[in-house]
PDB file of all heavy atoms in Angstrom:
ATOM      1  N   GLN A 313     -26.959   8.248  11.329  1.00  0.00           N
ATOM      2  CA  GLN A 313     -26.053   9.351  11.452  1.00  0.00           C
ATOM      3  C   GLN A 313     -24.633   8.968  11.088  1.00  0.00           C
ATOM      4  O   GLN A 313     -23.658   9.788  11.296  1.00  0.00           O
ATOM      5  CB  GLN A 313     -26.069   9.803  12.910  1.00  0.00           C
ATOM      6  CG  GLN A 313     -27.419  10.269  13.439  1.00  0.00           C
ATOM      7  CD  GLN A 313     -27.925  11.466  12.846  1.00  0.00           C
ATOM      8  OE1 GLN A 313     -27.086  12.350  12.546  1.00  0.00           O
ATOM      9  NE2 GLN A 313     -29.186  11.557  12.535  1.00  0.00           N
ATOM     10  N   LEU A 314     -24.321   7.751  10.771  1.00  0.00           N
ATOM     11  CA  LEU A 314     -22.958   7.243  10.710  1.00  0.00           C
ATOM     12  C   LEU A 314     -22.403   7.371   9.440  1.00  0.00           C
ATOM     13  O   LEU A 314     -23.108   7.423   8.290  1.00  0.00           O
ATOM     14  CB  LEU A 314     -23.009   5.769  11.084  1.00  0.00           C
ATOM     15  CG  LEU A 314     -23.660   5.368  12.432  1.00  0.00           C
ATOM     16  CD1 LEU A 314     -23.822   3.844  12.624  1.00  0.00           C
ATOM     17  CD2 LEU A 314     -22.912   5.986  13.590  1.00  0.00           C
ATOM     18  N   THR A 315     -20.998   7.449   9.342  1.00  0.00           N
ATOM     19  CA  THR A 315     -20.371   7.329   7.956  1.00  0.00           C
ATOM     20  C   THR A 315     -19.235   6.231   8.124  1.00  0.00           C
ATOM     21  O   THR A 315     -18.559   6.200   9.131  1.00  0.00           O
ATOM     22  CB  THR A 315     -19.668   8.644   7.580  1.00  0.00           C
ATOM     23  OG1 THR A 315     -19.038   9.187   8.752  1.00  0.00           O
ATOM     24  CG2 THR A 315     -20.538   9.638   6.896  1.00  0.00           C
ATOM     25  N   ALA A 316     -19.068   5.450   7.158  1.00  0.00           N
ATOM     26  CA  ALA A 316     -18.040   4.437   7.170  1.00  0.00           C
ATOM     27  C   ALA A 316     -16.737   5.114   6.571  1.00  0.00           C
ATOM     28  O   ALA A 316     -16.815   5.664   5.517  1.00  0.00           O
ATOM     29  CB  ALA A 316     -18.397   3.176   6.313  1.00  0.00           C
ATOM     30  N   LYS A 317     -15.679   4.896   7.328  1.00  0.00           N
ATOM     31  CA  LYS A 317     -14.398   5.738   6.960  1.00  0.00           C
ATOM     32  C   LYS A 317     -13.430   4.804   6.254  1.00  0.00           C
ATOM     33  O   LYS A 317     -12.418   5.267   5.711  1.00  0.00           O
ATOM     34  CB  LYS A 317     -13.831   6.327   8.157  1.00  0.00           C
ATOM     35  CG  LYS A 317     -14.680   7.360   8.901  1.00  0.00           C
ATOM     36  CD  LYS A 317     -14.060   7.640  10.261  1.00  0.00           C
ATOM     37  CE  LYS A 317     -14.960   8.439  11.074  1.00  0.00           C
ATOM     38  NZ  LYS A 317     -14.470   8.496  12.437  1.00  0.00           N
ATOM     39  N   HIS A 318     -13.581   3.503   6.297  1.00  0.00           N
ATOM     40  CA  HIS A 318     -12.527   2.598   5.839  1.00  0.00           C
ATOM     41  C   HIS A 318     -12.489   2.661   4.292  1.00  0.00           C
ATOM     42  O   HIS A 318     -13.505   2.547   3.587  1.00  0.00           O
ATOM     43  CB  HIS A 318     -12.935   1.179   6.316  1.00  0.00           C
ATOM     44  CG  HIS A 318     -11.673   0.365   6.316  1.00  0.00           C
ATOM     45  ND1 HIS A 318     -11.161  -0.068   5.141  1.00  0.00           N
ATOM     46  CD2 HIS A 318     -11.003  -0.139   7.332  1.00  0.00           C
ATOM     47  CE1 HIS A 318     -10.155  -0.914   5.454  1.00  0.00           C
ATOM     48  NE2 HIS A 318     -10.060  -0.955   6.820  1.00  0.00           N
ATOM     49  N   PRO A 319     -11.249   2.687   3.732  1.00  0.00           N
ATOM     50  CA  PRO A 319     -11.169   2.759   2.270  1.00  0.00           C
ATOM     51  C   PRO A 319     -11.721   1.454   1.562  1.00  0.00           C
ATOM     52  O   PRO A 319     -12.010   1.546   0.398  1.00  0.00           O
ATOM     53  CB  PRO A 319      -9.599   2.858   2.052  1.00  0.00           C
ATOM     54  CG  PRO A 319      -8.964   2.580   3.296  1.00  0.00           C
ATOM     55  CD  PRO A 319      -9.957   2.814   4.415  1.00  0.00           C
ATOM     56  N   LEU A 320     -11.778   0.406   2.208  1.00  0.00           N
ATOM     57  CA  LEU A 320     -12.282  -0.837   1.631  1.00  0.00           C
ATOM     58  C   LEU A 320     -13.889  -0.951   1.734  1.00  0.00           C
ATOM     59  O   LEU A 320     -14.484  -1.956   1.383  1.00  0.00           O
ATOM     60  CB  LEU A 320     -11.654  -2.050   2.254  1.00  0.00           C
ATOM     61  CG  LEU A 320     -10.241  -2.341   1.950  1.00  0.00           C
ATOM     62  CD1 LEU A 320      -9.598  -3.548   2.750  1.00  0.00           C
ATOM     63  CD2 LEU A 320     -10.035  -2.607   0.394  1.00  0.00           C
ATOM     64  N   ILE A 321     -14.468   0.031   2.293  1.00  0.00           N
ATOM     65  CA  ILE A 321     -15.963  -0.098   2.468  1.00  0.00           C
ATOM     66  C   ILE A 321     -16.542   0.924   1.450  1.00  0.00           C
ATOM     67  O   ILE A 321     -16.320   2.107   1.347  1.00  0.00           O
ATOM     68  CB  ILE A 321     -16.444   0.374   3.857  1.00  0.00           C
ATOM     69  CG1 ILE A 321     -15.809  -0.527   4.957  1.00  0.00           C
ATOM     70  CG2 ILE A 321     -17.981   0.306   3.911  1.00  0.00           C
ATOM     71  CD1 ILE A 321     -16.118  -0.191   6.378  1.00  0.00           C
ATOM     72  N   GLN A 322     -17.496   0.359   0.651  1.00  0.00           N
ATOM     73  CA  GLN A 322     -18.229   1.201  -0.275  1.00  0.00           C
ATOM     74  C   GLN A 322     -19.700   1.228   0.325  1.00  0.00           C
ATOM     75  O   GLN A 322     -20.347   0.138   0.431  1.00  0.00           O
ATOM     76  CB  GLN A 322     -18.206   0.549  -1.691  1.00  0.00           C
ATOM     77  CG  GLN A 322     -18.856   1.335  -2.746  1.00  0.00           C
ATOM     78  CD  GLN A 322     -19.574   0.582  -3.738  1.00  0.00           C
ATOM     79  OE1 GLN A 322     -19.559  -0.739  -3.734  1.00  0.00           O
ATOM     80  NE2 GLN A 322     -20.299   1.240  -4.673  1.00  0.00           N
ATOM     81  N   THR A 323     -20.111   2.350   0.626  1.00  0.00           N
ATOM     82  CA  THR A 323     -21.479   2.574   1.143  1.00  0.00           C
ATOM     83  C   THR A 323     -22.527   2.832   0.103  1.00  0.00           C
ATOM     84  O   THR A 323     -22.362   3.684  -0.709  1.00  0.00           O
ATOM     85  CB  THR A 323     -21.527   3.688   2.250  1.00  0.00           C
ATOM     86  OG1 THR A 323     -20.438   3.435   3.123  1.00  0.00           O
ATOM     87  CG2 THR A 323     -22.793   3.657   2.969  1.00  0.00           C
ATOM     88  N   VAL A 324     -23.671   2.140   0.173  1.00  0.00           N
ATOM     89  CA  VAL A 324     -24.751   2.419  -0.712  1.00  0.00           C
ATOM     90  C   VAL A 324     -25.984   2.760   0.177  1.00  0.00           C
ATOM     91  O   VAL A 324     -26.349   1.957   1.017  1.00  0.00           O
ATOM     92  CB  VAL A 324     -25.118   1.169  -1.628  1.00  0.00           C
ATOM     93  CG1 VAL A 324     -26.342   1.395  -2.489  1.00  0.00           C
ATOM     94  CG2 VAL A 324     -23.983   0.655  -2.391  1.00  0.00           C
ATOM     95  N   LYS A 325     -26.485   4.002   0.080  1.00  0.00           N
ATOM     96  CA  LYS A 325     -27.536   4.408   0.909  1.00  0.00           C
ATOM     97  C   LYS A 325     -28.943   3.940   0.369  1.00  0.00           C
ATOM     98  O   LYS A 325     -29.201   4.102  -0.882  1.00  0.00           O
ATOM     99  CB  LYS A 325     -27.550   5.956   1.031  1.00  0.00           C
ATOM    100  CG  LYS A 325     -26.319   6.462   1.688  1.00  0.00           C
ATOM    101  CD  LYS A 325     -26.598   6.625   3.230  1.00  0.00           C
ATOM    102  CE  LYS A 325     -25.392   7.207   3.911  1.00  0.00           C
ATOM    103  NZ  LYS A 325     -25.467   7.110   5.359  1.00  0.00           N
ATOM    104  N   ILE A 326     -29.676   3.352   1.205  1.00  0.00           N
ATOM    105  CA  ILE A 326     -31.016   2.961   0.822  1.00  0.00           C
ATOM    106  C   ILE A 326     -32.020   3.525   1.856  1.00  0.00           C
ATOM    107  O   ILE A 326     -31.621   3.884   3.014  1.00  0.00           O
ATOM    108  CB  ILE A 326     -31.240   1.380   0.736  1.00  0.00           C
ATOM    109  CG1 ILE A 326     -30.861   0.743   2.105  1.00  0.00           C
ATOM    110  CG2 ILE A 326     -30.386   0.890  -0.363  1.00  0.00           C
ATOM    111  CD1 ILE A 326     -31.932   0.502   3.047  1.00  0.00           C
TER     112      ILE A 326
END
Side-chain angles (χ1 to χ4, degrees):
Q313 302 291 325
L314 308 171
T315 38
K317 297 169 191 164
H318 202 290
L320 287 174
I321 302 177
Q322 187 216 355
T323 309
V324 178
K325 293 272 184 189
I326 55 95

